[in-house]
Amino acid sequence: MAVAALEAEILSLRKRRQLYSLIGLLLVVAVLVSGYSKSNSMNSGGFLQGLEKFFDYPGEIVMEAWDAGPAFFGLIIRYIPAMLETLNIAGVATLLGGAMAVVLAMASTRNVDSYGPLIPVVRRMMDIMRAFPELIIALFLIFVLGSSPVPAMIAVAFHTAGALGKLFSEVNENIDRKPIEGLSACGASWLQRIRFAVMPQVAPNYLSYFLLRLEINVRASAILGFVGAGGIGQELRRTIGWGKGAGDETAAIFVLLFITIMIIDQTSSYLRGKLVGSGRAH
């Protein structure tokens, strides 16, 4: 009798859960429909009407690239210097931001015997550095310093320091403290404990995150070109704004950007796999 009552109770709970799920699904659909209707009424053109033209511009770019023939490959070579400038921005910014991130991570982790009152201050600093996107920082610096790759480099490095510092500090929290305690018992200084007990444990993960951040920064540096920070993004803005006749150049830049990102992605993926001890990172 007790088993029958239990089965009836389970069946009742299951029906109630299905009812709640159905009500939740209907609410989500209602919100999506009302949101679509509202946003569609606020646009100058309708979503469905615009959807029909979605592939018009990409189609024009592909056709112009096709019409260019073998000269299209010359366009790809022509934009390699701009791509190298973007890579330089990303590389320098990642190096500077990574170095700052190591200092911030060590100063914000209790597990490595950092100065206690300093920890919350450094953590809030990293929160602020991550809170502002590279684009916002770059726009402010371009207003102050003028249009050049330097504002982009500073903006990317600033954001990288906050983002990597957070990841590095989480790595520090998971290290084994026995080597630190052993060196402390021998009278080692804080810097000596960091060098000989902490860095050997965290270096592989640090480098893995560093390579991942380099990939992200290449994309970020390309985007910053749209606001006048130089590099391949600035050329892309020019060709897109040029109107008809520059579609082949736009396609060449897209192809070059795709090839570069793919090479960096595959190279860093391979290196990360080596660093963490597996055959391949995905």
Side-chain angles (χ1 to χ4, degrees):
M1 189 65 182
V3 174
L6 183 59
E7 289 178 350
E9 180 66 19
I10 292 173
L11 187 61
S12 174
L13 289 173
R14 187 176 298 170
K15 289 182 178 178
R16 199 181 306 166
R17 187 182 63 185
Q18 291 174 345
L19 178 63
Y20 290 157
S21 300
L22 180 62
I23 293 174
L25 180 62
L26 291 175
L27 285 174
V28 170
V29 171
V31 170
L32 288 175
V33 171
S34 62
Y36 167 77
S37 302
K38 183 67 176 176
S39 60
N40 201 43
S41 63
M42 295 175 66
N43 291 333
S44 57
F47 176 75
L48 294 177
Q49 292 80 5
L51 192 61
E52 296 175 356
K53 304 175 183 176
F54 185 79
F55 294 103
D56 288 355
Y57 183 60
E60 290 178 10
I61 291 176
V62 172
M63 289 306 300
E64 289 185 29
W66 180 262
D67 293 340
F72 177 74
F73 298 100
L75 290 175
I76 295 177
I77 297 173
R78 173 181 163 188
Y79 288 112
I80 286 178
M83 191 70 239
L84 290 176
E85 187 176 45
T86 296
L87 292 175
N88 283 335
I89 294 171
V92 174
T94 308
L95 285 172
L96 292 177
M100 291 168 59
V102 173
V103 176
L104 292 172
M106 293 302 173
S108 63
T109 310
R110 199 176 304 277
N111 205 27
V112 297
D113 295 338
S114 299
Y115 182 55
L118 188 63
I119 293 174
V121 176
V122 178
R123 289 185 177 179
R124 297 296 78 78
M125 283 176 56
M126 292 192 295
D127 291 344
I128 295 172
M129 296 167 85
R130 290 196 312 276
F132 295 97
E134 297 97 330
L135 187 61
I136 303 299
I137 303 171
L139 283 171
F140 173 76
L141 291 174
I142 286 173
F143 179 76
V144 176
L145 303 175
S147 297
S148 74
V150 175
M153 185 269 294
I154 297 174
V156 176
F158 186 79
H159 192 272
T160 297
L164 274 184
K166 170 68 174 174
L167 295 173
F168 287 176
S169 65
E170 290 177 355
V171 173
N172 292 347
E173 294 288 355
N174 296 317
I175 64 171
D176 184 3
R177 277 192 50 84
K178 289 179 182 176
I180 299 176
E181 293 169 356
L183 286 173
S184 297
C186 296
S189 67
W190 184 79
L191 285 176
Q192 288 172 326
R193 296 198 295 271
I194 294 296
R195 180 181 177 185
F196 296 108
V198 177
M199 291 308 296
Q201 296 188 63
V202 301
N205 285 330
Y206 273 23
L207 288 173
S208 178
Y209 282 129
F210 180 85
L211 290 171
L212 178 63
R213 192 68 206 181
L214 178 61
E215 294 177 33
I216 297 171
N217 285 347
V218 170
R219 300 183 184 97
S221 300
I223 293 172
L224 292 181
F226 272 84
V227 295
I232 198 71
Q234 191 161 331
E235 294 291 343
L236 187 59
R237 184 185 66 170
R238 180 186 63 78
T239 59
I240 289 178
W242 193 268
K244 288 188 175 181
D248 52 347
E249 296 183 54
T250 303
I253 292 173
F254 277 137
V255 170
L256 181 60
L257 192 58
F258 171 74
I259 292 173
T260 304
I261 294 294
M262 185 183 66
I263 292 172
I264 293 174
D265 179 70
Q266 292 300 311
T267 304
S268 61
S269 178
Y270 175 79
L271 292 175
R272 286 202 307 274
K274 290 291 184 183
L275 288 170
V276 298
S278 59
R280 189 86 174 171
H282 297 284

